[in-house]
Every structure is written in structure tokens, then in C-alpha cells.
Amino acid sequence: MGFMSLMITLFLVLLVSVPAILLAKEINFHKKLVANIIVTGNETIGETDDNYICATIDWFPSDTCRYNYCMLQNSSAITLDLSNPLLAKTIQAFKNLRLRIGGSPQDQVIYNVGSPRYPCRPFQQAKNGLFGLKGGCLYMRRWDELNHFFNKTGAIVTFGLNALYGRKKQDNSTLWVGDWDPSNTRALMNYTILKGYHIDSWEFGNELSGNGIGARVEAAQYAKDVINLKKIMKELYKTTNYNSRLVAPGGFYSQDWYTKLLQDSGPGIVDVVTHHIYNLGGGNDPNLIRKILDPAYLTNSILGTFKDIEGVIQEYAPWAYVWVGESGGAFQGGGRYVSDRFVNSFWYLDQLGMAAKYSTKVYCRQTLVGANYALLNRTTMEPNPDYYSALLWHRLMGKGVFDVHRRHASPYLRPYAHCSKGRAGITLLLINLSNRTEFIVHVHNQTGFKLKEREKRRESHFMRGRRTEVASDGRSFREEYHLSAQHGNLRSQTSLLNGHPLHVTNGELPKLDPLLRHENSPIRVAPLSIAFIVLPNFKASACANPAPSC
């Protein structure tokens, strides 16, 4: 062999060996930890609504921009393309997706029906206007189109009303004073009922509680107005064969303000108490991903609110339900390259799990379409990663919520457990925030039940993520749904389900098929991944009579 041939051979050997060495280092860098979790299957600590997952449709016009970036084109209740077939399919995939129509500009919208006391004109940008806008008009032709779309897709609708109508703004203040004028709302409700449109609930105002966002109303005045609204609703709906609920206040939680509202309005007025969450801060925060992957931040930034509002409702409004009426993680449209990427599912699913443990019946995601935190791409309507996370929750996680205890487990493994939806057993949500640790999870119930610690074969992460074990006897197997980022890139807009990319093909949503694993094999959750685990044979007496799956 000549010198040149020898050098080429050595070069090729190094070329092959270096990646193998690097890969070996990467494999060794990952740790494996055993995590034992205990599910109190004999008793639930809470119950969600059948349609816990909710998404919002806002009012902002297309020329609204945030952080020098315009992100709201044709995504509002007024401009959204309702003829898009993929938009309809994404809603129909939930069977009955709850939609909340509302957002910051809703308290400016005039309904073009009856004889409005103010001109009904389209939104226009205005420096001195509320949220930089003036005008805002809902024409009845558009209201008809929206309701036909809701009926076609099976959506359950909550509509946000203009709660500033008739009030006056105090000079040099965000406070609005005077009685609310219900005439325009009455005209809209009457039109809606005469047309046979079914609105599940009407929400009074947006973010007017406490210090307000842009505008505020004192709690005593607000209570007086919701009493009036309830009276109107009872009068108008008495001739129908269904009732519509009153939802309020649709704002950020303030203990004194919420308490005053519920005390002054009295029993049976407010059916659903809503509050908003943006616990990640501003959408331009460069630390969004760090916050999302920090278990202490996820807990400490919102847990107090969940506990406090649960206590206030139990003491002052035990007849009412609690909803998260709007939550986008980061405010002002969400974080660019974060809120519509895979990494956001760690925050979103953790929020769904935590909120459910504290009496939250419904959780509304800001938004269905529009801005960076949308579930759907605003131009193509193709789902972003959080859409698939929401759809899996909706299909797998039932109403009954269990307490879950970790035994000597890392805080980077965040477990949640519910009754399985429409079948026996339980479903676990396991969120692994660690970038280097694979968790091997063993599940116990309160009587010490434990999944046997044995593994049929050792497989690499690569093979396990792509192999489906077909069961001849479904009772002996569990279902697993593992979500991860394509190419390991947390900023990817593509989720992998059990190693396969989730893409729309020929206008059809992908099937969300599980892996089937022997129920006695260990549950493995890879670093920076999320897993839904369906355990049909877990003895959970609180789930003895599961409701049919929707």
C-alpha cells in the first residue's frame, strides 16, 4: 500500500469512528432514573367538564401588530375564513370543541341589530382608542355565518359581550363608570333566539376586573350589571327549551374584587366564574423557554391562583363552576418561535393537568387561530404542535382527576392522572422536562399495586420509538402516545408521535395511533418528551362506570 493510499484509509477510519465516539458520549450523557408514582385510584380530587379543552377566537383586526410583527391577519371573528375545509376538520376532530368568542376588543363591538345608540363601524387603528382601536361592528350577516359554522362543526359556543356599552370613561383614568346599557345585548340575544342559534353561554366583559387591562369597572357596579343581565337572559330564554349560562368576569384574578362581585351579585347569578392566565410574561421575553422547562417556575407562577380562586368559589359561590377563560402562556400574542413550537406543549399540557386538580371545569386556549400562540397556522390552518397535544388530552383524559404522589422522583418528571375517557382504567400524562434523564416509571395505586418491573427486551430509543407491538389480547396491553420534537429541536413546528411526524396529508388530519406495550413492561419517558399512557387494568374504583367516549 502506497503512502497516499494509507493516508486515505486512515482518514476513512477516522471519518467513521468520530461520529460513533460522539454518539457514544451522547448516549452515556443521558441518565436513567426509576420514578415511582402513586395514584389514589379509589377517590377523585376533582372533575372536569366533558369538553374541558376550549379555544378562543379573538376580535383584533388584521392590521394589529405586536413587537414590530403583524401576526393577526384574517384570524378574528369578523375576518376568519369559515369556508376553509381544514379549519372545519380541526374543530370536528374534537366532536364538540368549546369555542370562546372574545378578547380585548370585545368591549368596543357594537351589534348591528335593532337600533344601536352608537354607530356600527369597522375597527380602525386609533392611538387614543382602547387597545389602539376605535369602532368595531358585528353585522348580522356575519353573525349568521358564524352560527352556521358553529352548527356545522358541532362547536359549543361562549360569546363575550360588550360590558362597557353605555358607560363613560373617567378623565385620566382607566375606570369606566355608570350603569351598563343592556339594549344592544338584548337585541343580539333576541335575534339569536329567534334564529334558533344555540349559544351555550354569554360572558360579560373582558379583563375589566381588579386593575383591569386597558379599562376597569368597580366590582359593586359590575355585580349590579350582571344581576340585570341575568334578569334579561331569564326573560328571553323562558320561551326556549334550553338555558344559556352567564359567565363572568373574564379577567385576571383579584381576590378582593372577585369576592365583592360574588357577594354583591348573590346566589345563582353568575353560573361560571372565569379568570385569565398569562404566567410566562411578555411574548418578547428571551427567557420563555427557560421558564417553560423550569418545574419550579411552572408551579410557583400559578399554583397560588388556582388554590385561591378555588377557595373563594367554595366559600362565596358554591353553585358556580371555575373556568380558565383565556390563557396563552405569554401575553401580547405569545412568543415568536416559541408559542407555536413543540416546546410550548410542556407548558400547555402542564397547565391542563394542574388546573384540573383545582376544580377547573374548562380551560380555554388563546387562540384557535391568530398570533404566535395559535393552535392552528393562520394561513394554512395546519395544526401547530399544541393542537395535537390538546386533541390527545381530549380523547384520552376523562373527567375524574386523581391525586398523584411521586416517591423520591425528580421534579423534572411531572405526572398527572385521570380516569380514562370512555373506558375502564386510568390515563397518565407524564411530562419529562429533563434534557438528559430518561425516566423509568412504575405506577402504584393506594393499595400498593405495582406494574411488574420486567422488560421483554432491551431496545434503543430509536427502535422503541418506531416499533408497534401488536396485541392478540388487548386486555394485556397498554396504549402509549409519546410526543417529541422533530430532530430533537424544541423550536420545531412538527411533533413526532411515537417517532412519526404529524402532518396533514391530502387535506386530512393524521391518525393518532398508539404503541401497544405489554402492561408488565416498564414505562419509559425519554428526555424532553411527553407521554400519555392508558392503563386499562389499573384498579381505580372511582372510574367504575366510565362515560361513553365522545
Side-chain angles (χ1 to χ4, degrees):
M1 180 183 295
F3 177 79
M4 185 59 68
S5 298
L6 178 63
M7 294 302 294
I8 291 174
T9 301
L10 289 172
F11 175 77
L12 291 174
V13 169
L14 286 172
L15 191 65
V16 172
S17 300
V18 168
I21 293 169
L22 292 176
L23 180 60
K25 287 185 177 181
E26 182 179 354
I27 291 173
N28 291 332
F29 181 70
H30 288 162
K31 300 188 300 183
K32 294 182 181 181
L33 287 180
V34 173
N36 291 290
I37 64 173
I38 302 170
V39 179
T40 55
N42 62 327
E43 182 180 8
T44 58
I45 60 170
E47 184 177 280
T48 67
D49 190 85
D50 276 323
N51 302 100
Y52 180 62
I53 299 295
C54 166
T56 71
I57 299 176
D58 214 318
W59 288 99
F60 277 110
S62 295
D63 54 356
T64 302
C65 304
R66 295 284 186 268
Y67 311 121
N68 299 316
Y69 174 56
C70 300
M71 60 183 90
L72 293 161
Q73 294 92 333
N74 299 320
S75 61
S76 78
I78 294 173
T79 61
L80 186 61
D81 180 9
L82 303 178
S83 67
N84 187 298
L86 187 54
L87 174 63
K89 288 177 181 179
T90 58
I91 296 173
Q92 290 166 336
F94 286 83
K95 305 298 183 185
N96 299 106
L97 177 62
R98 189 179 298 275
L99 294 177
R100 177 223 180 206
I101 315 303
S104 298
Q106 81 180 48
D107 291 304
Q108 299 169 253
V109 176
I110 308 301
Y111 318 126
N112 193 37
V113 60
S115 301
R117 63 186 286 185
Y118 306 105
C120 202
R121 296 170 180 162
F123 282 115
Q124 291 182 332
Q125 298 292 328
K127 289 184 179 180
N128 296 326
L130 186 59
F131 303 107
L133 299 170
K134 65 178 181 180
C137 183
L138 176 62
Y139 296 96
M140 290 303 97
R141 180 179 67 253
R142 181 60 174 180
W143 186 230
D144 293 339
E145 293 171 351
L146 284 166
N147 278 280
H148 292 153
F149 179 76
F150 300 150
N151 184 61
K152 167 186 171 183
T153 58
I156 303 169
V157 180
T158 296
F159 185 84
L161 296 167
N162 180 346
L164 294 182
Y165 194 86
R167 305 189 202 274
K168 292 183 179 179
K169 181 179 178 294
Q170 277 195 342
D171 294 338
N172 302 317
S173 171
T174 60
L175 179 64
W176 288 64
V177 296
D179 291 341
W180 170 67
D181 179 352
S183 60
N184 200 219
T185 285
R186 177 190 284 272
L188 176 65
M189 285 186 178
N190 190 56
Y191 179 91
T192 301
I193 292 168
L194 290 174
K195 283 282 192 172
Y197 302 149
H198 188 180
I199 302 301
D200 173 79
S201 44
W202 301 88
E203 187 173 34
F204 189 62
N206 183 81
E207 297 179 350
L208 303 175
S209 59
N211 294 325
I213 302 295
R216 65 187 179 93
V217 175
E218 295 289 2
Q221 177 64 60
Y222 191 99
K224 180 181 176 182
D225 297 325
V226 294
I227 292 172
N228 192 15
L229 174 58
K230 188 72 168 188
K231 179 181 177 182
I232 292 168
M233 290 173 64
K234 286 183 177 180
E235 176 189 336
L236 294 177
Y237 277 92
K238 68 182 179 182
T239 59
T240 68
N241 58 3
Y242 60 89
N243 291 318
S244 189
R245 293 179 288 180
L246 194 161
V247 178
F252 289 96
Y253 176 67
S254 163
Q255 184 174 8
D256 291 343
W257 197 99
Y258 272 59
T259 299
K260 179 69 171 174
L261 162 65
L262 296 172
Q263 285 179 322
D264 285 11
S265 59
I269 298 298
V270 178
D271 300 305
V272 176
V273 178
T274 48
H275 66 110
H276 293 182
I277 296 173
Y278 286 91
N279 61 319
L280 294 178
N284 62 344
D285 186 344
N287 296 310
L288 286 178
I289 290 181
R290 180 188 61 78
K291 290 179 178 179
I292 289 170
L293 297 178
D294 181 351
Y297 185 89
L298 290 179
T299 298
N300 297 335
S301 63
I302 196 60
L303 185 60
T305 298
F306 286 139
K307 288 182 176 179
D308 287 352
I309 198 168
E310 181 184 42
V312 166
I313 295 303
Q314 288 175 351
E315 183 170 358
Y316 298 106
W319 63 86
Y321 295 126
V322 180
W323 292 4
V324 173
E326 181 182 312
S327 183
F331 57 77
Q332 292 285 358
R336 197 174 185 186
Y337 308 126
V338 176
S339 297
D340 60 348
R341 306 304 163 110
F342 178 81
V343 68
N344 205 63
S345 280
F346 292 107
W347 166 81
Y348 181 38
L349 286 172
D350 190 70
Q351 280 279 299
L352 293 176
M354 199 187 315
K357 292 177 68 173
Y358 291 93
S359 303
T360 304
K361 294 290 186 181
V362 170
Y363 194 107
C364 295
R365 169 61 180 265
Q366 177 86 344
T367 61
L368 179 66
V369 185
N372 293 315
Y373 41 37
L375 294 177
L376 306 177
N377 183 290
R378 70 175 180 275
T379 55
T380 66
M381 298 298 166
E382 291 208 13
N384 288 322
D386 281 358
Y387 172 87
Y388 293 114
S389 297
L391 187 56
L392 281 170
W393 176 291
H394 177 76
R395 291 180 177 179
L396 301 174
M397 303 290 273
K399 294 166 59 175
V401 186
F402 294 109
D403 202 5
V404 180
H405 301 282
R406 292 174 297 193
R407 184 186 298 168
H408 310 301
S410 165
Y412 286 85
L413 177 67
R414 297 178 71 83
Y416 299 97
H418 284 224
C419 294
S420 291
K421 196 163 195 175
R423 57 178 131 174
I426 67 170
T427 297
L428 300 176
L429 168 61
L430 302 173
I431 301 171
N432 186 353
L433 300 175
S434 173
N435 64 356
R436 59 177 297 181
T437 302
E438 176 190 28
F439 290 102
I440 302 172
V441 180
H442 301 292
V443 186
H444 313 254
N445 68 13
Q446 74 285 352
T447 58
F449 172 85
K450 183 178 179 181
L451 296 181
K452 293 180 181 178
E453 301 175 15
R454 63 186 179 88
E455 186 177 6
K456 293 180 68 176
R457 61 178 66 85
R458 294 185 179 274
E459 302 175 276
S460 68
H461 289 305
F462 180 86
M463 290 303 294
R464 279 201 305 274
R466 288 158 176 77
R467 175 182 169 86
T468 301
E469 297 174 331
V470 180
S472 59
D473 178 2
R475 292 175 299 175
S476 299
F477 285 73
R478 65 174 184 259
E479 294 179 8
E480 297 190 0
Y481 302 78
H482 293 267
L483 292 171
S484 57
Q486 189 174 43
H487 307 307
N489 178 12
L490 294 182
R491 292 182 186 263
S492 173
Q493 279 192 288
T494 300
S495 290
L496 302 181
L497 176 61
N498 299 325
H500 302 286
L502 294 174
H503 290 304
V504 172
T505 305
N506 297 323
E508 298 297 328
L509 294 170
K511 293 182 179 180
L512 304 182
D513 293 327
L515 290 174
L516 298 180
R517 297 287 190 199
H518 195 284
E519 66 177 354
N520 291 330
S521 63
I523 298 170
R524 297 176 178 271
V525 187
L528 294 177
S529 73
I530 298 162
F532 290 91
I533 310 295
V534 181
L535 302 173
N537 293 323
F538 190 95
K539 303 300 182 183
S541 57
C543 303
N545 297 302
S549 179
C550 57

